[in-house]
Coordinates of all heavy atoms in Angstrom, one line a residue:
R62 N -38.8 120.4 146.6 CA -39.4 121.5 145.9 C -39.8 122.7 146.8 O -39.9 123.8 146.3 CB -40.7 121.1 145.2 CG -40.5 120.1 144.1 CD -41.8 119.6 143.6 NE -41.6 118.6 142.6 CZ -42.2 118.7 141.4 NH1 -43.0 119.6 141.1 NH2 -42.0 117.7 140.5
L63 N -39.8 122.4 148.1 CA -40.1 123.5 149.0 C -38.9 124.1 149.7 O -39.0 125.0 150.5 CB -41.1 123.0 150.2 CG -42.4 122.5 149.7 CD1 -43.2 121.9 150.9 CD2 -43.2 123.6 149.0
G64 N -37.7 123.6 149.2 CA -36.5 124.2 149.7 C -36.0 123.6 151.0 O -35.0 124.0 151.6
N65 N -36.6 122.5 151.5 CA -36.2 121.8 152.7 C -35.2 120.7 152.3 O -35.3 120.1 151.3 CB -37.4 121.1 153.4 CG -38.4 122.1 153.7 OD1 -38.1 123.2 154.3 ND2 -39.7 121.8 153.5
T66 N -34.1 120.6 153.1 CA -33.1 119.6 152.9 C -33.4 118.3 153.6 O -33.7 118.3 154.8 CB -31.7 120.1 153.3 OG1 -31.5 121.4 152.7 CG2 -30.6 119.2 152.9
H67 N -33.3 117.2 152.9 CA -33.6 115.8 153.4 C -32.5 114.9 153.0 O -31.8 115.1 152.0 CB -34.9 115.2 152.8 CG -36.1 116.1 153.1 ND1 -36.8 116.0 154.2 CD2 -36.7 117.0 152.3 CE1 -37.8 116.8 154.1 NE2 -37.8 117.5 153.0
F68 N -32.3 113.8 153.7 CA -31.4 112.8 153.2 C -32.1 112.1 152.0 O -33.3 111.9 152.0 CB -31.1 111.7 154.3 CG -30.1 112.2 155.3 CD1 -30.5 112.7 156.5 CD2 -28.8 112.3 155.0 CE1 -29.6 113.2 157.4 CE2 -27.8 112.8 155.8 CZ -28.2 113.2 157.1
A69 N -31.3 111.8 151.0 CA -31.8 111.4 149.7 C -32.6 110.1 149.8 O -33.5 109.8 149.0 CB -30.7 111.2 148.7
F70 N -32.3 109.3 150.9 CA -33.0 108.0 151.0 C -34.1 108.1 152.0 O -34.7 107.1 152.4 CB -32.0 106.9 151.4 CG -30.8 107.0 150.5 CD1 -29.5 107.4 151.0 CD2 -30.8 106.5 149.2 CE1 -28.4 107.4 150.2 CE2 -29.7 106.6 148.4 CZ -28.5 107.0 148.9
S71 N -34.5 109.3 152.4 CA -35.5 109.5 153.4 C -36.9 109.1 152.8 O -37.2 109.4 151.7 CB -35.5 110.9 153.8 OG -36.6 111.2 154.6
S72 N -37.7 108.5 153.7 CA -39.0 108.1 153.2 C -39.9 109.4 153.1 O -40.9 109.4 152.4 CB -39.7 107.2 154.3 OG -39.8 107.8 155.5
D73 N -39.5 110.5 153.7 CA -40.2 111.7 153.6 C -40.3 112.2 152.1 O -41.3 112.6 151.7 CB -39.6 112.9 154.4 CG -39.6 112.6 155.9 OD1 -40.4 111.8 156.3 OD2 -38.9 113.3 156.6
L74 N -39.2 112.0 151.4 CA -39.2 112.4 150.0 C -39.9 111.5 149.1 O -40.6 111.9 148.2 CB -37.7 112.5 149.5 CG -36.9 113.7 149.9 CD1 -35.5 113.6 149.4 CD2 -37.6 115.0 149.4
R75 N -39.8 110.2 149.4 CA -40.5 109.2 148.6 C -42.0 109.3 148.7 O -42.7 109.0 147.8 CB -40.0 107.8 148.9 CG -38.6 107.5 148.4 CD -38.3 106.0 148.5 NE -38.4 105.5 149.9 CZ -37.4 105.5 150.7 NH1 -36.3 105.9 150.4 NH2 -37.6 105.0 151.9
N76 N -42.5 109.7 149.9 CA -43.9 109.7 150.1 C -44.6 111.0 149.9 O -45.8 111.2 150.1 CB -44.2 109.2 151.5 CG -43.8 107.8 151.8 OD1 -43.7 107.0 150.8 ND2 -43.4 107.4 153.0
Q77 N -43.8 112.0 149.5 CA -44.4 113.4 149.3 C -45.2 113.4 148.0 O -44.8 113.0 147.0 CB -43.2 114.4 149.1 CG -43.1 115.2 150.3 CD -42.0 116.3 150.1 OE1 -41.5 116.5 149.0 NE2 -41.6 116.9 151.1
E78 N -46.4 113.9 148.2 CA -47.3 114.2 147.1 C -47.3 115.7 146.8 O -47.5 116.5 147.7 CB -48.7 113.7 147.3 CG -49.0 112.3 147.2 CD -50.4 112.0 147.3 OE1 -50.9 112.0 148.4 OE2 -51.1 111.8 146.2
I79 N -47.1 116.1 145.6 CA -47.1 117.5 145.2 C -48.3 117.7 144.4 O -48.8 116.9 143.6 CB -45.8 117.8 144.3 CG1 -44.5 117.4 144.9 CG2 -45.8 119.3 143.9 CD1 -44.2 118.1 146.2
A80 N -48.9 118.9 144.6 CA -50.2 119.3 143.9 C -50.0 120.7 143.5 O -49.2 121.5 144.0 CB -51.4 119.1 144.8
V81 N -50.8 121.0 142.5 CA -50.8 122.4 141.9 C -52.3 122.9 142.0 O -53.2 122.2 141.8 CB -50.4 122.4 140.4 CG1 -50.5 123.8 139.8 CG2 -49.0 121.9 140.3
V82 N -52.4 124.2 142.4 CA -53.7 124.8 142.4 C -54.2 124.8 141.0 O -53.6 125.4 140.1 CB -53.7 126.2 143.0 CG1 -55.0 126.9 142.9 CG2 -53.2 126.2 144.4
A83 N -55.4 124.3 140.8 CA -56.0 124.1 139.4 C -57.1 125.1 139.1 O -57.7 125.0 138.0 CB -56.5 122.7 139.2
V84 N -57.4 126.0 140.0 CA -58.4 127.0 139.8 C -57.8 128.4 139.9 O -56.7 128.5 140.4 CB -59.6 126.8 140.7 CG1 -60.4 125.5 140.4 CG2 -59.2 126.9 142.2
E85 N -58.5 129.4 139.5 CA -57.9 130.8 139.6 C -57.5 131.2 141.0 O -56.4 131.7 141.1 CB -58.9 131.8 139.0 CG -58.4 133.1 138.8 CD -59.4 134.1 138.2 OE1 -60.3 133.7 137.5 OE2 -59.2 135.3 138.5
K86 N -58.3 131.0 141.9 CA -58.0 131.4 143.3 C -58.7 130.5 144.3 O -59.9 130.2 144.1 CB -58.4 132.9 143.5 CG -58.0 133.4 144.8 CD -58.3 134.9 145.1 CE -59.1 135.6 144.1 NZ -59.5 137.0 144.5
I87 N -58.1 130.1 145.4 CA -58.7 129.3 146.4 C -58.4 129.9 147.8 O -57.4 130.5 148.0 CB -58.3 127.8 146.4 CG1 -56.8 127.6 146.6 CG2 -58.7 127.1 145.1 CD1 -56.4 126.2 146.8
K88 N -59.4 129.6 148.7 CA -59.2 130.0 150.1 C -58.7 128.8 150.8 O -59.2 127.7 150.6 CB -60.6 130.4 150.7 CG -61.1 131.7 150.1 CD -62.5 132.0 150.7 CE -63.1 133.2 150.0 NZ -64.5 133.4 150.5
L89 N -57.7 129.0 151.6 CA -57.3 127.9 152.5 C -57.8 128.2 153.9 O -57.6 129.3 154.4 CB -55.8 127.8 152.5 CG -55.3 126.8 151.4 CD1 -55.3 127.5 150.0 CD2 -54.0 126.2 151.7
Y90 N -58.3 127.2 154.5 CA -58.9 127.3 155.8 C -58.1 126.6 156.9 O -57.2 125.8 156.6 CB -60.3 126.6 155.8 CG -61.3 127.2 154.9 CD1 -61.4 126.8 153.5 CD2 -62.1 128.2 155.3 CE1 -62.3 127.3 152.7 CE2 -63.1 128.8 154.4 CZ -63.1 128.4 153.1 OH -64.0 128.9 152.2
S91 N -58.3 127.0 158.1 CA -57.5 126.4 159.3 C -57.9 125.0 159.6 O -57.2 124.3 160.3 CB -57.6 127.3 160.5 OG -59.0 127.4 160.9
G92 N -59.0 124.5 159.0 CA -59.5 123.2 159.2 C -60.1 122.6 157.9 O -60.2 123.4 156.9
N93 N -60.6 121.4 158.0 CA -61.1 120.8 156.8 C -62.6 121.0 156.6 O -63.4 120.1 156.4 CB -60.8 119.3 156.8 CG -61.4 118.5 157.9 OD1 -61.6 119.1 159.0 ND2 -61.8 117.3 157.7
S94 N -63.0 122.3 156.6 CA -64.4 122.6 156.4 C -64.4 124.1 156.2 O -63.6 124.9 156.6 CB -65.2 122.3 157.6 OG -66.5 122.9 157.6
E95 N -65.5 124.6 155.5 CA -65.6 126.0 155.3 C -66.1 126.8 156.5 O -66.2 128.0 156.5 CB -66.6 126.3 154.1 CG -66.0 125.8 152.8 CD -66.9 126.0 151.6 OE1 -68.1 126.4 151.8 OE2 -66.5 125.8 150.5
R96 N -66.4 126.0 157.6 CA -66.7 126.6 158.9 C -65.5 127.2 159.6 O -65.6 128.1 160.4 CB -67.4 125.6 159.8 CG -68.7 125.1 159.3 CD -69.4 124.2 160.3 NE -68.4 123.2 160.7 CZ -68.6 121.9 160.7 NH1 -69.7 121.4 160.3 NH2 -67.6 121.1 161.1
Y97 N -64.3 126.7 159.2 CA -63.1 127.2 159.8 C -62.7 128.6 159.2 O -63.2 129.0 158.2 CB -62.0 126.2 159.6 CG -62.1 125.0 160.4 CD1 -62.7 123.9 159.9 CD2 -61.6 124.9 161.7 CE1 -62.8 122.7 160.7 CE2 -61.7 123.8 162.5 CZ -62.3 122.7 161.9 OH -62.4 121.5 162.7

Side-chain angles (χ1 to χ4, degrees):
R62 292 175 184 230
L63 297 177
N65 302 315
T66 306
H67 302 273
F68 282 103
F70 310 109
S71 169
S72 61
D73 292 346
L74 283 177
R75 287 193 301 271
N76 297 332
Q77 253 185 10
E78 279 189 284
I79 307 296
V81 176
V82 175
V84 294
E85 187 177 333
K86 185 178 5 176
I87 62 173
K88 295 177 184 177
L89 270 81
Y90 298 89
S91 59
N93 62 329
S94 164
E95 291 178 355
R96 294 185 310 234
Y97 287 93

